Amino acid sequence: MRAERVFAYGAAAGLLGDLLLGDPRRGHPVAAFGRAAGAVERVLWRDHRGWGALHTAVCAGGAAALGLAADRAVRRSPAASVALTAAATWSVVGGTSLAREASAIGRALEAGDVEAARARLPHLCGRDPQALDADGIARAVVESVAENTSDAVVGALVWGAVAGVPGLVGFRAVNTLDAMVGHKSTEYRRYGWASARLDDLAGWPGARLTAVLATVAGGDPRGAVRAWRADAAQHPSPNAGPVEASFAGALGVRLGGTLSYGGRVEHRPVLNGAAGRAVRAGGGDIDRAVRLSRRVGWLALSVCAGARLLGRRVLTQGRDS
């Protein structure tokens, strides 16, 4: 079986596994990678970009190398190759867990239990929950659903289509390192620089595909395009900007503005401010964002699998001509 079919079948099975089962309950490979990366950090940490770059190369490169070794070990068996791709996809995507956490917070807000929503918010994002009212929590959830649709689903599928199992595993490793050391704290401003920049590069194609698919799958394609073009570049993140702006336009809401991380207040630009309304805690906005995220994830699978199949066909025709 050719590699493009292995990816198509395996990724579809892995995404279906995530839909039915969610993340693995025990022994999650991403958690194991996080522990290993933490151990490497304890050995290598210096307040220096070079040591941080070495940490990134060891951890991300090691994860991709393990994926490559596993891929080569099963290459002679189509069934084993599909199974490995399915297992890798299931392990690295997190669409169902994302939807579950967002929906749980949405239900708490619908019931008027703001304290319960605050208690669950750290499971989804790094905002300071005590600094947010009900509507602020709802906005944080919608923004996190948008950004993590790219980080936890679409980006992984893009790199899986490009490089198979090593691409799936390598992308998740890079994304996890960014979450661990890529933030602008005093401790990681220099040490985490390489992880943050590599995550920006790795996330670039997935973020653009997410924005395109949110435009196609959302309720207001023109609004999504307008918000993306007008506001995305103002966001401090080169990848979160297009994704959050397109989600804001597609859902007809405003995102961005003042937020707080770890006691540090940030004033971000408002996305879709001219046409959108404020996110409402009891207005069903979280559920609409979750439904849009799910549609984007399945569309991304179709696009990535189709692109890999088409690419193989083009290469074959080019060789035969």
Side-chain angles (χ1 to χ4, degrees), residues 156-209:
L157 292 173
V158 167
W159 283 102
V162 171
V165 170
L168 289 164
V169 174
F171 176 80
R172 176 54 60 220
V174 170
N175 193 247
T176 303
L177 286 174
D178 179 60
M180 293 178 68
V181 303
H183 38 86
K184 296 181 179 179
S185 65
T186 302
E187 183 179 5
Y188 293 121
R189 185 176 298 275
R190 281 182 283 271
Y191 187 81
W193 176 86
S195 291
R197 297 291 77 75
L198 183 58
D199 184 67
D200 287 343
L201 290 172
W204 195 95
R208 273 71 193 168
L209 179 58

Side-chain angles (χ1 to χ4, degrees), residues 17-24 90 96-97 100:
D18 177 66
L19 177 66
L20 297 176
L21 304 173
D23 286 337
W90 177 42
T96 295
S97 294
R100 285 176 180 171

Side-chain angles (χ1 to χ4, degrees), residues 238-250:
N239 294 331
V243 172
E244 291 185 21
S246 62
F247 262 71

Side-chain angles (χ1 to χ4, degrees), residues 46 48 55-56 58 69 72 78 98 107 116 142 147 182 189 195 205 218 220 222 227 230 242 258-259 268 275 278 320:
R46 307 286 190 281
H48 190 277
H55 173 250
T56 302
V58 168
R72 288 184 172 178
L98 172 65
R107 288 193 297 272
V142 172
E147 185 173 1
R189 185 176 298 275
S195 291
D220 185 0
R222 290 185 178 180
T258 302
L259 50 85
R268 293 186 176 177
D320 294 341

Side-chain angles (χ1 to χ4, degrees), residues 102 105-112 114 133-143 251-255 275-289:
I105 297 171
R107 288 193 297 272
L109 292 174
E110 292 281 353
V114 179
D133 60 11
D135 289 344
I137 293 172
R139 175 169 64 85
V141 171
V142 172
E143 290 172 358
L251 297 171
V253 299
R254 295 194 302 270
L255 299 178
R277 58 168 175 77
V279 175
R280 297 193 293 261
D285 292 327
I286 291 175
D287 287 340
R288 293 195 303 124

